[in-house]
Amino acid sequence: GNSVTQMEGPVTLSEEAFLTINCTYTATGYPSLFWYVQYPGEGLQLLLKATKADDKGSNKGFEATYRKETTSFHLEKGSVQVSDSAVYFCALRDSNSGYALNFGKGTSLLVTP
Amino acid sequence: KAGVTQTPRYLIKTRGQQVTLSCSPISGHRSVSWYQQTPGQGLQFLFEYFSETQRNKGNFPGRFSGRQFSNSRSEMNVSTLELGDSALYLCASSFDSWTPAFFGQGTRLTVV
């Protein structure tokens, strides 16, 4: 079946540091890949997406590239801010699972001034 | 454009009771999905409704049920509540199953 594996957190970075959150997946079909972000006490916000191999999703300085050969979708940002502190979830969906989103366990990010 | 609205935001119920949660999707979205979020199990898919029909269902007991109305609003019901049902319940709407899903703020259910 489908599955998503994310790096364990928490990740603590200083402001303006480079961020990478690793995400790898297992899927039997051709999934679309997503990153969602959850701020304390809130629901999930769609951060970026990619629907096919080699697509690069980007938003608010965050980027992730769909790598089929390594089954990965790592999230990166060149310079993090305190306001980026949140929990980040990698997710996939495909027709084999009826398009239900399959989430990783989430990576907590804390950015300190 | 208004986002996904879930009501209520917080609920406290007693074991054995039942509860109904409500979700109003983004205007024009026909697909509504429900997810349960707990610290131990993470985010798990409950079910999806499209045009008033359940199209997909996760691995949850029959105590968890839902429905969708003609205006796409959806409700989920949990009967005979157990302590382990305490969770954040998230609703997501999308135009169709494969288009990006947008989430509401969730309903925090506490079972005591």
Side-chain angles (χ1 to χ4, degrees), chain B residues 14-30:
Chain B
T14 305
R15 262 185 310 175
Q17 287 186 315
Q18 75 165 16
V19 68
T20 299
L21 312 182
S22 180
C23 172
S24 293
I26 292 170
S27 178
H29 284 191
R30 300 175 294 174

Side-chain angles (χ1 to χ4, degrees), chain B residues 46-101:
Chain B
L46 282 154
F47 30 64
E48 183 214 358
Y49 285 86
F50 184 90
S51 293
E52 302 179 65
T53 301
Q54 186 181 86
R55 270 210 303 207
N56 195 6
K57 189 176 190 306
N59 189 25
F60 277 81
R63 299 186 297 107
F64 292 81
S65 64
R67 59 178 176 168
Q68 186 180 34
F69 302 95
S70 58
N71 61 359
S72 293
R73 190 177 71 84
S74 177
E75 290 180 346
M76 69 163 278
N77 184 78
V78 188
S79 63
T80 320
L81 283 165
E82 300 176 0
L83 295 179
D85 297 332
S86 295
L88 180 66
Y89 290 88
L90 292 163
C91 168
S93 82
S94 56
F95 181 75
D96 209 324
S97 298
W98 58 85
T99 55

